[in-house]
């Protein structure tokens, strides 16, 4: 078995967990990359029912580490926690393409806001038919 029990990647967001030499040859891989954040989230889930205070602490610790892709690369997110695309093609778009993308993003934001408002509404018998109709329409246009 290899002596490297803990070798973090350069981004300090992952563990590298080596396979035993005989299994590494069989798998054709030397080890497993695991996100530090994911590890803390798994530990928190493990103690959720037994110790909610510890679970909350573990989730807080997890929040200090980056999300990563399975290969170990850090996932870059914007202030709304959306994944930021690797390449920014905004300057390459024509004005019509920029307007179209802006309209699509605005429409998505509006639909999300309507869904939120529907979820937060108090159920009342008078509004039930209208709310049901709007929910069905939103479901029909959802991708």
């Amino acid at each position: 078995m290899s002596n490297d029990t803990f070798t973090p990647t350069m981004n300090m967001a992952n563990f590298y967990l080596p396979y035993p030499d005989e299994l590494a040859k069989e798998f054709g891989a030397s080890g497993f990359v695991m996100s530090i954040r994911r590890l803390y989230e798994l530990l928190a889930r493990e103690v959720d029912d037994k110790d909610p205070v510890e679970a909350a602490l573990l989730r807080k610790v997890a929040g200090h580490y980056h999300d990563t892709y399975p290969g170990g690369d850090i996932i870059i997110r914007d202030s709304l926690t959306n994944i930021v695309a690797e390449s920014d093609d905004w300057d390459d778009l024509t004005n019509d393409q920029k307007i179209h993308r802006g309209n699509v993003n605005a429409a998505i934001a509006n639909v999300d806001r309507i869904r939120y408002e529907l979820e937060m509404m108090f159920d009342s018998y008078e509004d039930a038919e209208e709310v049901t109709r709007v929910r069905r329409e939103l479901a029909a246009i959802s991708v």
Side-chain angles (χ1 to χ4, degrees):
M1 190 144 121
S2 175
N3 289 335
D4 297 331
T5 54
F6 170 73
T7 308
T9 61
M10 292 305 290
N11 62 26
M12 295 301 289
N14 302 297
F15 290 113
Y16 171 73
L17 306 170
Y19 296 139
D21 291 336
E22 59 274 4
L23 292 177
K25 290 175 188 169
E26 182 182 327
F27 294 152
S30 61
F32 175 73
V33 176
M34 178 159 194
S35 162
I36 295 172
R37 179 185 189 115
R38 179 86 172 118
L39 175 65
Y40 278 110
E41 289 170 347
L42 288 171
L43 292 171
R45 238 184 274 143
E46 205 51 42
V47 297
D48 252 339
D49 294 333
K50 295 174 230 145
D51 191 351
V53 174
E54 183 180 355
L57 174 66
L58 289 168
R59 284 193 176 86
K60 192 170 188 172
V61 171
H64 286 275
Y65 292 96
H66 293 284
D67 284 333
T68 60
Y69 293 106
D73 294 329
I74 292 175
I75 298 173
I76 307 298
R77 296 184 181 271
D78 64 14
S79 62
L80 300 174
T81 69
N82 298 316
I83 295 176
V84 176
E86 288 184 23
S87 60
D88 183 9
D89 64 347
W90 187 258
D91 293 335
D92 300 333
L93 298 177
T94 66
N95 286 339
D96 287 341
Q97 289 171 323
K98 289 178 182 178
I99 290 170
H100 176 74
R101 187 177 290 176
N103 288 342
V104 167
N105 290 339
I108 291 169
N110 285 331
V111 169
D112 286 343
R113 182 64 187 182
I114 292 168
R115 283 188 180 135
Y116 170 78
E117 293 293 336
L118 285 172
E119 289 172 8
M120 299 310 289
M121 286 180 69
F122 291 107
D123 290 333
S124 70
Y125 187 75
E126 299 87 42
D127 297 333
E129 285 183 36
E130 184 64 15
V131 169
T132 301
R133 184 188 68 76
V134 171
R135 286 183 176 153
R136 285 185 182 145
E137 293 297 325
L138 283 173
I141 64 172
S142 294
V143 177

